[in-house]
Amino acid sequence: MASEQREEPLQGQPEAGVEEITASVKEIMLKNDDELTSDEKYVLCRSIGEECLMEAELKNLLEKKPNPVAYDGFEPSGRMHIAQGVMKALNVNKLTKSGVTFRFWVADWFAQMNNKMGGDLKKIQNVGKYLIEIWKALGMDMDKVEFLSASEEINKRPDEYWTLVMDVARKNNLKRIIRCSQIMGRNETDELSAAQIFYPCMQCADIFFLKADICQLGMDQRKVNVLAREYADDCRPKRRKPIILSHPMLPGLLQGQEKMSKSDPNSAIFMEDSELEVRTKIKKAYCPPGEIEGNPCIAYVKYIVLPWNTEFEIERSDDNGGNKVYTDYDELVKDYTSGALHPGDLKPALAKALNRILQPVRDHFENDPQAKALLKQVKSYKVTK
C-alpha cells in the first residue's frame, strides 16, 4: 500500500549529485532554442519551481531526452486570474524553449465532478475555450503546446484510462486519497461527494495516461503529484516516476489571503480587468510598509512584473527619492525593508506595470467579435465552489 513520503531536498541546498549552475535566466531566454546546452535548459526549467522532486532526475531527463513532455491540468471553472494567465505563460515559454512539449489537460469532467459552473458541462467547456483565448492573446508560445480535452481523450482510449484509474484506487486506501482533497480546493473535513473522492485517483492516472515526464502544477497540487511518484514505485513492474516541478502560489490581494480565489473578485487581478479595476484593486491591496512576508504587492512584482518585463519602474518626485528602475528583486527587497521604497510609490507603479501586461488581452477581447461574445458569456455564468 502506497504511503505519502516527503521526497524533497533540504531548502536552500542543491540535491546530492546536482552542481549549482550559475546562469542568468534572462540571458538564456535571449538565445536561440537550438543553442541551449542541457545545463542551460536545466536552469530555465528549475527556475519555474518553488520545489523540484527531484533535481537530479530533471537534469538527467534534459540530458537524455530531446523532447520531454510536461503537463498541467486545469478546471475550466471561471475567469482567469493573473497567476493562471501570466505565471503559466512564463513557465510554459521556459519549458518549450528547453525542448519540452507542454500538454494542457482541459479537465472538463473534473470541473463537473467538483461542481464547478453548477456541474453544467457545456458552460465548463465554454470557459475552457475562453482560457485558451487568453493565453494566445498574452503571447504564450503555442508551437509546442497541446490542449487536450479530458472528456474527448478519455472517450478515445477508455480501456487504457479506466484500467489506470482502477489500479491507482486499488493501491491506495481511502484515508490516503482524502488527504489529496486539497487539490480540488477542498479540506479533508469537507463532506465530499463520491465523485470528489474519485477525483484524486483520476488526476493521478492522468499523469501516466498523458505520458508526462514532468508535472508542472502549483504547490497546491503537490499531494497528488507525490501520490503519482509513490504509485509508480508500487507498480510491478515499476513505472517511471514523474518529476514534480511545482510553481509557488500567488497570495490573495487582501490581508490574510494565502491564495487567490475566483469566487472573490477582490482577491485577485483577472486577465481582462479594466485599467480602473486594476488600479482600484491594487490601491486597496494589503501592503504593509517594510514587510516582505505575506505582502501580495511584493509577490506580484517578484512573480509577475520582473519576470515579464525584466524591470520595474518607480515614478516619484525628487523630494521622495526620484525615479528608480529595479532589475534585481533583492535590491527592491532591500529598499522596501529599509523604508527607501514606500507603499505609496510601489502601488501606482505596480498598477501601471500590470495594466501594460494585460493590455493585449483587453484588446483581443474588445476587437475580436468571437472572443468578445465568449467573454460576455463567461461573465454571465455564476461561479460555484
Side-chain angles (χ1 to χ4, degrees):
M1 185 68 68
S3 61
E4 186 175 22
Q5 302 168 0
R6 288 191 61 83
E7 297 183 302
E8 60 191 288
L10 294 174
Q11 283 291 336
Q13 297 183 12
E15 292 170 21
V18 177
E19 295 179 5
E20 255 190 289
I21 303 163
T22 55
S24 164
V25 170
K26 193 188 307 183
E27 291 170 357
I28 296 171
M29 288 298 288
L30 293 173
K31 289 189 173 186
N32 293 327
D33 296 7
D34 57 7
E35 294 177 346
L36 299 189
T37 66
S38 61
D39 282 351
E40 288 171 328
K41 291 177 181 179
Y42 172 80
V43 169
L44 279 187
C45 295
R46 185 62 186 89
S47 70
I48 290 169
E50 179 177 328
E51 177 186 66
C52 176
L53 303 179
M54 305 288 286
E55 289 179 341
E57 292 174 17
L58 176 61
K59 199 166 189 303
N60 184 61
L61 175 73
L62 295 168
E63 288 172 354
K64 302 289 174 61
K65 190 171 182 178
N67 302 111
V69 173
Y71 117 98
D72 183 8
F74 66 91
E75 286 187 5
S77 57
R79 295 170 65 197
M80 182 185 280
H81 54 57
I82 200 164
Q84 189 179 13
V86 177
M87 281 180 67
K88 180 51 67 176
L90 285 163
N91 292 347
V92 168
N93 288 351
K94 287 177 182 178
L95 286 165
T96 55
K97 190 171 185 68
S98 303
V100 176
T101 295
F102 202 98
R103 289 180 179 156
F104 276 105
W105 192 233
V106 186
D108 50 0
W109 271 358
F110 291 76
Q112 187 178 43
M113 285 193 293
N114 207 12
N115 199 38
K116 299 300 173 69
M117 296 291 128
D120 187 319
L121 191 60
K122 183 64 177 174
K123 288 181 178 179
I124 290 166
Q125 290 169 339
N126 282 338
V127 173
K129 293 174 185 175
Y130 144 82
L131 299 178
I132 294 168
E133 284 291 316
I134 289 180
W135 280 316
K136 288 178 179 177
L138 188 61
M140 182 183 284
D141 181 2
M142 295 293 176
D143 287 346
K144 295 176 185 172
V145 173
E146 302 171 3
F147 291 96
L148 304 174
S149 164
S151 58
E152 290 179 12
E153 297 301 317
I154 291 169
N155 281 330
K156 286 178 188 175
R157 293 145 57 200
D159 290 355
E160 179 185 350
Y161 185 79
W162 293 114
T163 300
L164 262 173
V165 173
M166 290 299 294
D167 199 42
V168 172
R170 283 178 54 248
K171 286 182 167 65
N172 289 277
N173 61 38
L174 185 58
K175 185 178 179 181
R176 177 70 179 89
I177 294 301
I178 289 175
R179 284 211 304 271
C180 291
S181 58
Q182 176 192 7
I183 66 172
M184 302 176 284
R186 310 288 171 179
N187 297 313
E188 293 180 37
T189 56
D190 288 352
E191 186 175 340
L192 302 175
S193 69
Q196 287 168 332
I197 291 171
F198 216 50
Y199 187 120
C201 300
M202 291 175 65
Q203 185 168 328
C204 180
D206 293 343
I207 297 163
F208 303 96
F209 185 70
L210 294 170
K211 311 292 191 287
D213 300 296
I214 301 169
C215 300
Q216 204 294 284
L217 297 90
M219 285 295 293
D220 61 337
Q221 303 297 302
R222 184 187 191 281
K223 286 183 183 293
V224 77
N225 290 332
V226 170
L227 179 71
R229 287 179 63 88
E230 294 168 0
Y231 168 72
D233 273 340
D234 210 32
C235 288
R236 294 293 179 270
K238 289 186 177 182
R239 292 177 176 267
R240 184 183 41 75
K241 293 192 287 189
I243 295 156
I244 304 172
L245 199 55
S246 303
H247 61 253
M249 304 301 294
L250 207 60
L253 288 173
L254 304 180
Q255 185 174 4
Q257 292 182 327
E258 291 186 4
K259 58 183 285 190
M260 295 176 289
S261 169
K262 293 178 183 178
S263 59
D264 180 0
N266 294 313
S267 74
I269 302 296
F270 290 92
M271 289 301 297
E272 73 298 318
D273 274 349
S274 68
E275 288 190 43
L276 179 59
E277 285 172 324
V278 171
R279 288 197 301 269
T280 301
K281 287 181 181 182
I282 295 300
K283 187 176 181 179
K284 293 179 178 178
Y286 180 61
C287 191
E291 293 184 26
I292 302 298
E293 192 71 27
N295 187 327
C297 293
I298 296 293
Y300 268 54
V301 176
K302 180 180 182 180
Y303 294 116
I304 302 289
V305 178
L306 280 174
W308 192 267
N309 292 333
T310 71
E311 63 179 34
F312 178 52
E313 184 176 5
I314 299 292
E315 295 177 342
R316 56 193 173 188
S317 67
D318 291 338
D319 291 342
N320 289 327
N323 294 352
K324 184 165 184 177
V325 176
Y326 292 95
T327 58
D328 180 70
Y329 174 70
D330 291 337
E331 185 184 2
L332 182 139
V333 168
K334 182 181 177 183
D335 281 359
Y336 194 78
T337 52
S338 72
L341 176 59
H342 190 270
D345 296 315
L346 183 140
K347 281 188 170 188
L350 175 57
K352 184 175 181 179
L354 294 175
N355 273 320
R356 190 178 296 122
I357 293 169
L358 297 179
Q359 194 55 49
V361 177
R362 294 190 194 111
D363 292 343
H364 177 66
F365 281 100
E366 181 60 35
N367 299 326
D368 185 296
Q370 288 185 321
K372 190 173 186 176
L374 187 59
L375 175 60
K376 183 179 180 182
Q377 198 170 32
V378 169
K379 280 186 169 181
S380 73
Y381 297 159
K382 181 180 180 183
V383 176
T384 54
K385 295 183 70 174

